[in-house]
Amino acid sequence: MTMYQEYLAGLAAHLPTDVRALFATLSGAQESDITELLHEYPDSSEDLLGLLRQIKGTYFQQHQEKEVFLPVLGSDVEGGEYPYYLQSAQQILEERKSWLGQKSIMKIYDGQMDEVDVDERIDPTVQFHRWLCFAHCINNGGTSLLYIDFSPSPKGKSGQIVRYLHDPDSYQVIADNFAQYLQDIMQNEYPFIDPDAIGEEYCTSQETC
């Protein structure tokens, strides 16, 4: 199995039983969406693309008449226990468009770079639309976001995973690449999964569940 396939198999095994049933109904992205994503991010990780081909997204996404918001990813926040939604290919592209030609870390914190913690492997002058934002935290991204960075500093690696965390603001590299990122979560046994969760908690309303 590929890394993303191993990840999904392990994820399903760790989910509570009724949530696992919901997970089994999730559908994959259309190939046209993958093609569009690759047009803008030609160096996209094969494991991310494979993940999207199996699950088109879990951030307020329609799956068989249910609007699902299912956390399927994590990071180093709170010991790995803080969960994230997987963005769809279209959401990734919409976020890219919203940042197009606009700000970088340097511009956002203009004159106040001492107030933000930036990993030395990150180039703070790179505009955000060049990063691929693949995950929003369960606080609708307000607290934390996850990116693939294709334009690192000379000390970094192309494809490294960057975690943004708000208040105090920081941008840290948490994995050298997407495959390592998934592997780290697996090795930590999916700490973001709530064993007491029930399926209804993963839909936006009772009417859609």
Side-chain angles (χ1 to χ4, degrees):
M1 286 194 294
T2 64
M3 183 61 69
Y4 82 86
Q5 289 171 328
E6 289 184 34
Y7 182 85
L8 290 175
L11 177 63
H14 280 76
L15 289 170
T17 302
D18 60 340
V19 179
R20 194 179 309 149
L22 173 65
F23 181 73
T25 69
L26 304 186
S27 53
Q30 296 183 9
E31 200 58 34
S32 58
D33 289 337
I34 299 296
T35 299
E36 190 175 354
L37 183 65
L38 280 169
H39 178 74
E40 301 298 346
Y41 296 105
D43 297 325
S44 294
S45 160
E46 287 297 326
D47 283 301
L48 173 62
L49 298 177
L51 206 62
L52 290 169
R53 285 187 171 106
Q54 294 297 309
I55 304 175
K56 66 181 178 183
T58 65
Y59 187 34
F60 298 94
Q61 289 292 298
Q62 289 290 139
H63 291 274
Q64 297 190 22
E65 300 182 356
K66 293 183 180 181
E67 188 173 36
V68 174
F69 53 108
L70 176 64
V72 296
L73 298 169
S75 78
D76 60 330
V77 178
E78 297 181 4
E81 295 181 1
Y82 196 65
Y84 294 72
Y85 304 119
L86 172 66
Q87 290 225 91
S88 70
Q90 285 301 316
Q91 286 171 328
I92 292 169
L93 292 168
E94 287 167 8
E95 185 141 341
R96 177 190 181 278
K97 186 176 180 180
S98 72
W99 284 107
L100 195 60
Q102 296 186 35
K103 296 178 180 178
S104 63
I105 295 173
M106 187 74 77
K107 288 184 178 180
I108 288 177
Y109 301 94
D110 185 26
Q112 298 177 311
M113 284 296 292
D114 57 333
E115 297 184 6
V116 57
D117 182 18
V118 181
D119 193 302
E120 65 180 359
R121 292 168 286 183
I122 296 171
D123 182 351
T125 67
V126 171
Q127 293 182 337
F128 279 110
H129 75 270
R130 294 173 64 184
W131 288 3
L132 188 162
C133 182
F134 65 90
H136 279 219
C137 73
I138 57 171
N139 189 28
N140 295 330
T143 298
S144 188
L145 300 167
L146 300 177
Y147 299 91
I148 301 179
D149 175 11
F150 302 107
S151 305
S153 77
K155 295 184 178 181
K157 296 180 179 180
S158 180
Q160 65 192 11
I161 305 303
V162 173
R163 183 263 300 140
Y164 160 71
L165 185 65
H166 174 61
D167 196 20
D169 288 3
S170 69
Y171 295 83
Q172 294 296 316
V173 174
I174 62 171
D176 286 343
N177 52 59
F178 194 77
Q180 182 190 331
Y181 163 73
L182 295 181
Q183 186 172 42
D184 289 346
I185 296 175
M186 289 190 291
Q187 288 177 343
N188 289 316
E189 298 187 352
Y190 304 85
F192 60 88
I193 293 176
D194 179 3
D196 298 320
I198 58 175
E200 284 78 4
E201 295 176 7
Y202 294 105
C203 300
T204 57
S205 71
Q206 292 298 324
E207 288 75 14
T208 60
C209 292

